[in-house]
Amino acid sequence: TENKAGDHQQQAVDAINDGSESGTASRSSAGAEARVGVGSGTSDAITVDEEGDIAVGNSGEEETPELLKAIQERKASPVSYAQWLSASRRERNYALALMIREADLALRSTEVYSVTNRNQTAPSNDIHDYLSLSKYYWPNPKKPNGLPYKRIDGHVNPEIETVRDYRLLRTMIREVHIMGMAYHFTGRKEYADKCAMRLREWFLDEATYMNPNINYGSLRKGERLGSRTGVLDMFTIFRVFDALHYLKQEPTWPQDVIPSLQKWFTRYVQWLETSPLAQIERNGDNNHGTYFDVQIIGIYLFLDRVGDARKVVRTALHKRIDPQVTDKGEQPEEMARKTSWFYSVFNLQALMTLARWGDDLEVDMWFYEGLEGQSIKKAVDFLLPYALRGGEGWPVENLKGFDMTDYLKCLQIAWHIYGDDKYIEAIEILGPKVQKDMDEGKIKTVSTFMCDISTLMEATARGGQGFIWHWCLT
């Protein structure tokens, strides 16, 4: 319903005078009102009460109730602004110290990261073809030579470590990302130089480059081609693109690196769009399909194919949320896995990553609801009571326990997006438990401070390219 500007202003004045909109005690009628010009032909109403509080609202828009609510919440907060600033600086320093420690370790590493750095080749016998082994496949005890391997879900075959392409690829991506972020915050040229070297080493140098395909990812011994699951070995590549957004600001950054990488990824995305293995993965009805979208959107954006990226996010509303999440928030395909808690959280992280990209691509996934009420929020809510009980009552089989680290990250994001008090209450409970595990060395010590601040301030929507969100979610 549209009201005249004067009606809006009167409602705002009445709300301040009698507290009807803000829910606070009645304001004194002694408050003074003045009007000042703002911009071209517009005016804002400024109301000053006897306590000196000021509320400003555009006379032609319904902004005043939101401002009044924000004022009320700010007054009700037990934390002063000075306390918040002090705590924020401490957390920022902690996050930066962790980041720089990791970046310095990456800087000192002298190992060659390359698909050619192994003692066995793919079935193609091309040393530049990427190779990894399928982690849930084991020798067949009914066959003398154990071939072909058979699947035992939830149980990782340690033999996968005999082929190091996967580990080296993920290490390269992680180190380029962390050194790129460290360069952004410190300006140290050596981080940028090492990133350029690592990217050339993996993708571009004649002796060490990787062919732009994953035809032999997640290979099951005894077969000639890899499996669809190997397509996801590259899904974290968006971290490299995030780092490049900052690394290219370095004055000495080699100008040929990004164009050369774009040529490589133009060929790789063609493989993603046409390979039978990739198409099977794209049509996956669980986390595999979701992370295919995560991977290809990141590449599309790197190649400035914004329209293609937007199409993937729009399709994800009906292709990912609708079939993957029930009206109660369950994720049936993930709950059918032996490690059902891990995969339920893992797929939720992918959905949130897509939703973050949707913000930039004008597609609202955060608040989307399917015809049966399916939504990202319900997926968060379904997991919450089990998280608070340490997994007690979880309705399906689950191996390897209930690690809360990644779910806590999802809760932090959900709090910023939805503002539901139950999330902040759960963070108060789960946060110290996760920190205790970090302190005892049970899990890696990390900080999500940058992620939280970025989310709260929506900095990523104004040029940050989502790097801090990605840091938090994946």
Side-chain angles (χ1 to χ4, degrees), residues 44 46 61 76 87 116 125-127 151 197 205 219 227 240 247 254 268 270 309 334 342 344 408 420 431 449 470:
D44 275 16
I46 299 181
E61 301 176 1
T116 64
N125 289 321
D126 185 338
I127 63 170
R151 186 171 188 260
M197 184 276 284
D205 286 349
L219 180 74
S227 59
V240 167
L247 290 167
Y268 178 72
Q270 288 172 348
E334 312 309 329
F342 166 81
S344 293
L408 178 60
D420 194 324
F449 171 74
H470 296 157

Side-chain angles (χ1 to χ4, degrees), residues 382-410:
F382 175 78
L383 298 173
L384 183 56
Y386 302 107
L388 293 174
R389 296 196 297 265
E392 181 182 346
W394 183 247
V396 293
E397 181 181 6
N398 180 58
L399 301 177
K400 301 182 181 179
F402 294 84
D403 185 346
M404 294 299 151
T405 310
D406 289 334
Y407 181 64
L408 178 60
K409 297 175 184 178
C410 292

Side-chain angles (χ1 to χ4, degrees), residues 40-59:
S40 175
T42 64
S43 61
D44 275 16
I46 299 181
T47 303
V48 184
D49 68 11
E50 62 184 358
E51 298 176 351
D53 292 323
I54 300 176
V56 181
N58 187 286
S59 61

Side-chain angles (χ1 to χ4, degrees), residues 245-361:
H245 180 70
Y246 298 97
L247 290 167
K248 66 184 180 183
Q249 308 303 320
E250 165 57 37
T252 63
W253 177 257
Q255 294 304 302
D256 65 312
V257 168
I258 291 179
S260 297
L261 288 173
Q262 288 174 326
K263 289 180 182 178
W264 193 97
F265 278 99
T266 295
R267 294 173 61 195
Y268 178 72
V269 83
Q270 288 172 348
W271 180 83
L272 283 178
E273 293 170 334
T274 59
S275 162
L277 287 177
Q279 294 317 297
I280 295 171
E281 192 72 339
R282 172 174 241 163
N283 293 323
D285 54 6
N286 62 357
N287 68 83
H288 287 274
T290 316
Y291 276 104
F292 181 93
D293 288 354
V294 168
Q295 178 176 184
I296 204 167
I297 287 175
I299 297 170
Y300 280 151
L301 292 175
F302 178 57
L303 299 177
D304 201 28
R305 293 173 57 175
V306 177
D308 290 322
R310 183 177 293 114
K311 182 178 179 181
V312 175
V313 177
R314 284 177 177 165
T315 302
L317 297 174
H318 308 293
K319 193 172 183 178
R320 305 305 175 202
I321 295 179
D322 284 2
Q324 291 185 11
V325 183
T326 71
D327 60 335
K328 296 179 181 178
E330 301 143 310
Q331 299 175 67
E333 292 295 326
E334 312 309 329
M335 294 177 71
R337 302 295 297 271
K338 297 295 184 181
T339 50
S340 53
W341 175 263
F342 166 81
Y343 278 109
S344 293
V345 175
F346 186 57
N347 192 52
L348 176 59
Q349 290 177 287
L351 291 172
M352 285 184 153
T353 302
L354 293 180
R356 171 60 197 92
W357 269 319
D359 291 341
D360 288 343
L361 296 168

Side-chain angles (χ1 to χ4, degrees), residues 130-135 160 163-173 202-203 210 213-219 226-238 268 271-272 281 288 291-292 295 346:
Y130 176 90
L131 174 66
S132 63
L133 301 182
S134 191
K135 66 180 183 178
I160 64 172
V163 178
R164 302 181 62 234
D165 290 13
Y166 174 84
R167 291 293 181 197
L168 293 176
L169 171 62
R170 290 298 181 90
T171 299
M172 181 275 296
I173 292 173
W202 189 272
F203 294 106
M210 168 187 166
N213 67 71
I214 303 187
N215 286 321
Y216 305 100
S218 286
L219 180 74
S227 59
R228 67 181 182 90
T229 59
V231 176
L232 295 189
D233 287 5
M234 185 77 80
F235 90 79
T236 59
I237 193 62
F238 55 76
Y268 178 72
W271 180 83
L272 283 178
E281 192 72 339
H288 287 274
Y291 276 104
F292 181 93
Q295 178 176 184
F346 186 57

